[in-house]
Structure formats: structure tokens, C-alpha cells
Amino acid sequence: MLELGYFAAHEQRDPSTLLEYSILAEKIGFDMVWSSDHFHPWSHTGASSGFAWSWMATVAALTSKIKIGTGVTAPILRYHPAIIAQFISSMDYMFPGRIFLGLGTGEAMNEVPLGFEWPPIHERLKRLEEAVQIIRMLWTGEWINFKGQYFKLNQARLYTTPKTYVPIYIAACGPKTARIAGKYGDGLLTLPIKKEVYIDKLFPAMRKGAMEVGRTAENIKTVIELEVSYDEDYDKAMSSCRYWAGTKIPNCLDIADPRELETLGQKISDEKLRESWYVFTEPDELIRLIENYLQIGFKSIVFLSSSPDEKKFLEVCKNKIIPYFRELRQ
């Protein structure tokens, strides 16, 4: 069944504002809230940097049914995977059946400011793979010893374990991470890229990873994060996307300073931004975009909105987008 998610971007909006929007997201019918989890933001001017974990607990306490999780947490350096496992365990214990965990290989902005050396991608991939195993093992409540290349556990045990099964989503835009999603994940979260990449690389790698451990990829949920901006005035909606221009720099994952990201992002053209950001002025335009991704094979849609008036975007979701797809789900 199709799920619709709202992305809470702590880089662009302060925690109190995101709390208001997330409570509203539940009221208008969204199924999930995905929270970014960064130390530094993607830009400098007008940016924010709320702490995802405490914020998520607040959202869960002030809502009643919407699912909440990270999109995504990097379990590589600043977070030990055992601490992530403990956090999510407590969340699911208090809010059973409403918590999920998104994991990825991370960005320099999260690790370098805290004094860590930024690892190459092959090391980050291995750290991610070890981390998923550790988290799963600790959730059993058993005594765990683990000796990996990067992480170790010495007779570790979580005394408060999840009350329900907690799904793990792996963020992947390349086949190596998609393979990890196939081996260990309940879902694969990705971004707008060429259709051929999904069909020829990501989905086959996910299926290959699943086969390696005797799983079936049909049970792995495919999630697309759509970056959108809405206003009746196209230029106004387009201008609002410029905050995220730094994410379109080829080596953006390796840059830790938001000031540098912002400066380099100023050189990114609107045409380049439009390769991933979808700017629309009519609800039917977004409906058609979503239907295209459903035809590709995605089962869940997450909206990261940079709309100049976010409440106006949520109103469109309430009146047009969610009712349209709710009919399809029935």
C-alpha cells in the first residue's frame, strides 16, 4: 500500500516550526514523518540545525499515530551504532509500532566538525554494514559480542528493547549501498535520478543483496524522496529552492563548512537545480510526477518541500494530493 511521508528538514527550518508542520502533517493524513539528522546544515544564511533525536521524541509525544524516523542517521563516527540501537529501542518502547530508522553512509558536515577524519566511501560502506548488524543484534535483548573491522561490542546488552519490529531503511543512490539495503534493510530510500539508474543499477543491486542472504526483494519497500517547491508564482517557488543549491555540488558530501557549500552553491544554475527539484504551480503537476514514480516501482513517496509558504504546500496536500492517492489505496 502506498505511503506518503513528510520530510522535516532541520537544516532549513527551526525545530519549533517543524514540530508545528509535523503535527499538521498527521492531521491532514500523512503516514510518516522523516527527520533529517545532521550536525551542520547544507547552507549558512538563515540555516538551522536542530537535534533530530530529541525532536522526534517530542513529535511522537504530541501526535498519536503518524510514524516517525530518521532520514537518515549516519552510524559511522559521531554515533556508535549501539547508541543508535538504544535510542530507537526506547522510542519504540514508548511509541510502539510508530518508529522506523533510516541509515546511510553520511556526510563530512556531520563528522569533520567534531574532529573526525572523513573516511573514504569504501570505509563508510563497511561501517554502515557493520552498524546495521550491531543494531539488529542488540534489539534481540541478548548478550552480544561483535568484532568487526571498525566496531566492537564486548558483552553488550540492551535491557530496554523495542516492543515491536522496527523497520530499517537504507539510503542509497548507488549500487553498493543498494546491495546493503537488499541484505539488511526493510526499505531502500533514494533520491530523484535518471530512471535508467533505478532500473539498471539500484533495483538489481538491491535484489542481488537480498539473494545473497536468502531474502526476497519483493518485501523491501522502495522509497523516493521528492524535492519539491510549490507556489502559484513559479519564480517565487524556484527561488525558494536556492537554499539547497549546495547539495548539487559534485563533491558536496566531502564539504563540512556550510559557508563553503553556500558559496559554491551560488554558482549552481536554476537549470541544474531543476534536475532534482520539482517546482510546480498546480497540484495536478505533482500528481503526475508521483504517478511516474509509482510506475517505476516505488511504494512510498516522501516530500521534502522548500516551498516559500509551507502551510500553503500542506494545504495543497490536504485538499488535492492526499485525497487523490487515498482513493487509489482503497
Side-chain angles (χ1 to χ4, degrees):
M1 184 174 71
L2 172 66
E3 288 184 317
L4 296 175
Y6 178 73
F7 194 95
H10 288 273
E11 305 93 322
Q12 189 176 28
R13 297 186 169 102
D14 67 82
S16 297
T17 299
L18 288 176
L19 176 62
E20 177 187 359
Y21 292 160
S22 297
I23 292 172
L24 183 57
E26 179 181 70
K27 291 180 179 178
I28 67 178
F30 277 99
D31 303 297
M32 309 172 80
V33 169
W34 293 72
S35 172
S36 61
D37 186 1
H38 294 296
F39 185 78
H40 273 175
W42 287 103
S43 189
H44 172 67
T45 304
S48 186
S49 186
F51 184 50
W53 295 10
S54 56
W55 181 86
M56 286 169 53
T58 305
V59 175
L62 294 178
T63 54
S64 60
K65 60 182 180 180
I66 199 165
K67 297 177 182 178
I68 302 152
T70 55
V72 294
T73 293
I76 59 171
L77 291 170
R78 84 191 194 280
Y79 293 145
H80 190 288
I83 303 304
I84 298 171
Q86 185 180 29
F87 160 62
I88 294 295
S89 293
S90 294
M91 286 288 288
D92 190 74
Y93 189 90
M94 293 186 292
F95 310 104
R98 297 179 55 202
I99 307 302
F100 62 91
L101 174 63
L103 297 174
T105 53
E107 299 90 3
M109 63 171 65
N110 302 321
E111 319 299 341
V112 173
L114 305 186
F116 295 105
E117 294 291 330
W118 180 231
I121 184 59
H122 68 84
E123 178 179 330
R124 301 195 321 262
L125 285 165
K126 183 62 178 177
R127 285 179 177 273
L128 173 62
E129 188 165 7
E130 289 184 11
V132 182
Q133 296 175 70
I134 286 172
I135 291 167
R136 289 283 192 210
M137 289 188 293
L138 285 172
W139 282 348
T140 66
E142 302 293 329
W143 292 98
I144 304 298
N145 285 308
F146 183 88
K147 188 175 182 180
Q149 185 176 351
Y150 297 103
F151 294 114
K152 295 177 176 58
L153 295 179
N154 182 17
Q155 284 295 289
R157 182 177 187 265
L158 283 182
Y159 282 83
T160 299
T161 55
K163 281 189 176 180
T164 65
Y165 183 85
V166 177
I168 293 179
Y169 296 83
I170 306 293
C173 287
K176 291 181 180 179
T177 324
R179 175 177 161 271
I180 294 175
K183 290 178 69 175
Y184 305 106
D186 300 286
L188 180 151
L189 170 68
T190 191
L191 296 170
I193 45 183
K194 292 182 179 179
K195 176 182 177 180
E196 294 76 18
V197 178
Y198 304 129
I199 303 302
D200 299 334
K201 295 184 179 181
L202 286 193
F203 293 166
M206 180 183 71
R207 290 192 291 269
K208 180 179 179 181
M211 290 177 59
E212 289 175 5
V213 294
R215 304 177 68 204
T216 172
E218 282 68 29
N219 296 328
I220 302 173
K221 188 175 297 182
T222 47
V223 187
I224 181 72
E225 177 189 307
L226 296 182
E227 301 166 330
V228 301
S229 183
Y230 166 75
D231 198 85
E232 295 92 343
D233 184 328
Y234 182 91
D235 291 337
K236 189 176 179 181
M238 187 71 234
S239 178
S240 188
C241 297
R242 294 232 51 98
Y243 173 88
W244 298 93
T247 64
K248 305 310 166 191
I249 301 165
N251 64 332
C252 64
L253 300 182
D254 302 324
I255 300 174
D257 191 331
R259 296 167 295 185
E260 182 180 355
L261 285 164
E262 182 174 302
T263 299
L264 293 172
Q266 293 172 359
K267 302 175 183 178
I268 300 296
S269 66
D270 285 354
E271 181 180 0
K272 182 68 175 179
L273 272 176
R274 281 192 290 264
E275 290 179 3
S276 58
W277 280 92
Y278 190 75
V279 178
F280 68 103
T281 59
E282 295 290 340
D284 287 348
E285 298 175 53
L286 182 58
I287 288 173
R288 289 193 293 270
L289 177 71
I290 295 168
E291 289 178 330
N292 288 338
Y293 280 101
L294 296 180
Q295 291 174 2
I296 292 173
F298 286 97
K299 307 298 184 185
S300 183
I301 308 293
V302 183
F303 300 118
L304 193 170
S305 167
S306 188
S307 302
D309 185 337
E310 190 69 356
K311 287 186 177 179
K312 188 185 291 186
F313 166 74
L314 289 169
E315 192 70 16
V316 166
C317 291
K318 174 185 176 182
N319 295 330
K320 298 290 186 178
I321 308 302
I322 292 176
Y324 178 87
F325 288 101
R326 184 178 290 130
E327 288 185 10
L328 293 182
R329 291 188 288 180
Q330 293 176 350

